[in-house]
Amino acid sequence: MRTLFQEDLQKLGDELIRISTLAAEAMDKARRAFEDADVQLADEVIAADQRIDALQNDLDEHAIDLLALQGPVASDLRMIVGALRMSASLERMGDLARHIAQLVRLRFPDHVAPDDLKPVFSRMAEHSVTAGRKVTELLETRDLAVAREVTDINEQINELHRSIFTLIAEDDWDASAATTADCTLASRYFERYGDHAVAVSNKVAYLVTGEWDAKAAE
């Protein structure tokens, strides 16, 4: 029975990796759709989000079954509860990629961002993609050095997020209300994607060390 239980825990970890992989792929496609005003790619992201949602539901049901039937304690309990919480963050990362794709679809054939903000958004989007991929690597390896990389990347995303708001608030900002709203939302979506990546990395660190870093979780 113990062997079967460990196999179930391994399956839970594999399911997390699968969802993380899809969430990273979604952001990569959303980034390219955003930069190129590629509505076909945006539609792919929107459609694929249903797959992430379904996998999250399957993982949560699997985790709840393990809690109910196995009565896990100590590290096994942390793993199962952690998987439930990480799946929620990963699913939200997929949603945020979808939100970016929906902005692309809404403004097609125009670009979402005006020319003067495109370089900033390009860097923010690139960092977001890297954060998503690093989360998958972290789930595969549980290497805490990777967790620190995710935190560092998110700090760069946050700095770019603040810079966009600064530019929008300047007196010479003359874009339309719709463009202003779109840029505000897009920046927020990228920023939140990074935040959820950090949330996952913090939970992996907790599983590895058994210690919760309250400061890192803020």
Side-chain angles (χ1 to χ4, degrees), residues 57-85:
N57 288 335
D58 290 345
L59 183 149
D60 289 355
E61 289 178 5
H62 183 195
I64 291 169
D65 285 345
L66 290 177
L67 287 172
L69 300 175
Q70 299 292 344
V73 296
S75 62
D76 292 340
L77 180 61
R78 287 202 304 269
M79 171 61 192
I80 296 171
V81 174
L84 283 166
R85 298 181 67 181

Side-chain angles (χ1 to χ4, degrees), residues 48-136:
D49 188 54
Q50 295 180 6
R51 177 61 176 159
I52 294 175
D53 293 345
L55 287 172
Q56 188 217 2
N57 288 335
D58 290 345
L59 183 149
D60 289 355
E61 289 178 5
H62 183 195
I64 291 169
D65 285 345
L66 290 177
L67 287 172
L69 300 175
Q70 299 292 344
V73 296
S75 62
D76 292 340
L77 180 61
R78 287 202 304 269
M79 171 61 192
I80 296 171
V81 174
L84 283 166
R85 298 181 67 181
M86 285 187 280
S87 75
S89 286
L90 292 169
E91 187 273 337
R92 186 59 183 153
M93 290 167 72
D95 285 345
L96 290 161
R98 172 171 55 84
H99 291 336
I100 292 166
Q102 287 171 330
L103 283 177
V104 174
R105 163 153 281 293
L106 178 65
R107 296 305 171 199
F108 180 78
D110 295 326
H111 286 77
V112 175
D115 289 343
D116 53 346
L117 287 189
K118 284 179 181 178
V120 182
F121 271 115
S122 179
R123 293 196 297 275
M124 182 181 284
E126 183 178 352
H127 288 319
S128 297
V129 171
T130 302
R133 290 172 175 166
K134 286 294 181 181
V135 166
T136 302

